[in-house]
Amino acid sequence: MRIRLLSTVICAAIVFTMVMGCSSGASAPATTAAAAAAPETVVKDTTAGDTEAAKADGAVDYSDVTVEIVAKGFQHDFWKAVKMGSEQAAEDLGLKSTNFVGPASESAVAEQIEQLNNAVNKAPSAICLAALDTQASLDAISNAQAANIPIVGFDSGVPDAPA
């Protein structure tokens, strides 16, 4: 239960940080400690009221933000919790859409690379990636970078990836 809760919180933090990095040209905080120290952004539901009034009130509109999430799979409870957490965070922030994909098993590297390339081709606002094979992911990451699509790595780093 603690692992599931922790996974959900981490995923929500990843999506929130990624969305904040995609909004209004501001750069994303380097660490979660920096995010905690940053001024709080007010996120309000703009679907029920006047959108212009909400924007004037300082609310951030995420209704056009799309996020592709490429995980390591679905077979473990951890990934199920990450999926649930990302869906909840997307709902809480009012994102346009999220798409959570992952290979059938954690040994299906080629399948995950295909999913990552498909995510890049959709030109989302951002991509979250838990890479199975860091070296195999580098070309797709470079393609995303060339398309100005930010990628947030989680669960595993990608050594030698472009900044």
Side-chain angles (χ1 to χ4, degrees):
M1 183 68 182
R2 287 182 184 175
I3 292 175
R4 184 173 290 165
L5 178 62
L6 180 62
S7 301
T8 303
V9 170
I10 289 171
C11 187
I14 288 170
V15 171
F16 181 77
T17 302
M18 175 198 51
V19 169
M20 292 305 299
C22 295
S23 66
S24 70
S27 61
T31 65
T32 52
E40 186 174 316
T41 301
V42 178
V43 178
K44 295 185 179 180
D45 180 10
T46 59
T47 58
D50 183 12
T51 303
E52 293 304 316
K55 287 181 181 177
D57 194 26
V60 178
D61 181 15
Y62 297 116
S63 62
D64 62 343
V65 173
T66 59
V67 179
E68 292 288 320
I69 305 165
V70 182
K72 291 183 178 180
F74 294 99
Q75 63 278 17
H76 297 293
D77 285 341
F78 174 78
W79 297 114
K80 292 173 186 173
V82 170
K83 182 179 188 302
M84 288 178 11
S86 64
E87 290 169 349
Q88 183 63 51
E91 183 180 324
D92 291 348
L93 292 171
L95 302 185
K96 180 177 180 179
S97 68
T98 60
N99 183 36
F100 192 99
V101 297
S105 73
E106 291 191 16
S107 61
V109 174
E111 183 181 356
Q112 187 191 46
I113 298 304
E114 181 179 343
Q115 291 170 336
L116 179 56
N117 285 323
N118 290 340
V120 171
N121 291 336
K122 290 179 182 179
S125 303
I127 298 172
C128 295
L129 171 65
L132 287 172
D133 183 331
T134 56
Q135 291 301 312
S137 303
L138 292 177
D139 286 340
I141 291 170
S142 295
N143 292 339
Q145 185 180 35
N148 292 320
I149 302 169
I151 294 185
V152 176
F154 67 102
D155 188 59
S156 58
V158 182
D160 304 321

